[in-house]
Amino acid sequence: MPYNKFNPREFILRDWLALDRTVLANERTFLAYTRTSLTLVLAGLTFIRFFGPDIWSTIGYISLISGTTLWVTGVKRYLHILGHYRAMIIAENKALNDNKGSAIMS
């Protein structure tokens, strides 16, 4: 994980807000992958349907395959980053629970 070298107990509000911005950026990136792949798939279907069995349909099939591959790549990247974020949430909750215990003991 990219945040393993940081101690969650030393995080301040700015650090947690940066993580939240990272999540929003991850969602934005996933939506961009989805938008682009949908455009490629629709363009491919259009080429296949309206331009017949010549070079345009070949471009259509390539566009279909590219769009599908791009979407699968986007899903994999989104889930990968989401896994990092969920691990950080677990670390945050653990750090907050540890800090509550130390505040009670003080």
Side-chain angles (χ1 to χ4, degrees), residues 24-67:
L24 293 174
N26 186 37
E27 291 172 357
R28 242 184 354 259
T29 303
F30 174 67
L31 290 173
Y33 270 105
T34 302
R35 178 188 64 228
T36 305
S37 64
L38 182 61
T39 301
L40 283 170
V41 167
L42 290 176
L45 290 173
T46 302
F47 283 136
I48 292 167
R49 173 68 175 101
F50 293 112
F51 292 108
D54 56 357
I55 188 72
W56 294 107
S57 66
T58 304
I59 292 172
Y61 286 115
I62 291 171
S63 180
L64 276 173
I65 293 168
S66 299

Side-chain angles (χ1 to χ4, degrees), residues 13-28 85:
L13 179 61
R14 178 186 65 220
D15 299 325
W16 294 116
L17 291 175
L19 288 174
D20 290 337
R21 282 190 302 273
T22 301
V23 169
L24 293 174
N26 186 37
E27 291 172 357
R28 242 184 354 259
Y85 179 73

